[in-house]
Amino acid sequence: MIKVHLFERNGLSIDLDPEAVVGGDYTFWNPTYACDVQIWRAAYRPVEVQPPLNISNEDFKEWDGRKAANSRRWHVEHVCGLTAAQIVAGRRRRRSA
């Protein structure tokens, strides 16, 4: 587990599963950039992601930020006894039911 403080929620603490999976919800970072300080900030994943800086003009015209965000691996809130993939699969089952 990785204990993080939600950036937009006044530092509310949650535990994230260390495995990132497609369909996850959160990204996190260490704002101090120091190896010995373990204060992690987290935020909900963006709806769209920006294209890479080195993208070609042809690829830029076809870039879909929403599709790219949905295909990236993000972290999920930890649930005891479940893997990150099981958490995401359970959500998909509930949505389709």
Side-chain angles (χ1 to χ4, degrees), residues 1-93:
M1 287 187 303
I2 302 166
K3 184 179 185 101
V4 298
H5 303 278
L6 290 175
F7 190 67
E8 295 117 359
R9 301 282 184 194
N10 295 326
L12 174 71
S13 295
I14 62 171
D15 294 323
L16 295 182
D17 198 279
E19 179 189 359
V21 292
V22 174
D25 302 312
Y26 298 96
T27 185
F28 69 95
W29 66 96
N30 182 343
T32 63
Y33 300 102
C35 296
D36 58 340
V37 179
Q38 295 299 312
I39 298 172
W40 297 98
R41 298 281 186 246
Y44 195 74
R45 74 176 189 90
V47 175
E48 292 184 21
V49 293
Q50 297 296 316
L53 295 175
N54 61 348
I55 193 169
S56 69
N57 286 336
E58 293 95 29
D59 291 339
F60 183 76
K61 291 175 186 173
E62 298 175 13
W63 178 259
D64 183 352
R66 285 181 184 265
K67 183 178 176 184
N70 290 336
S71 66
R72 285 193 184 172
R73 299 165 69 88
W74 305 94
H75 294 272
V76 293
E77 193 167 352
H78 178 73
V79 176
C80 288
L82 295 177
T83 67
Q86 290 170 327
I87 294 167
V88 171
R91 283 191 219 152
R92 288 184 182 139
R93 275 193 300 261

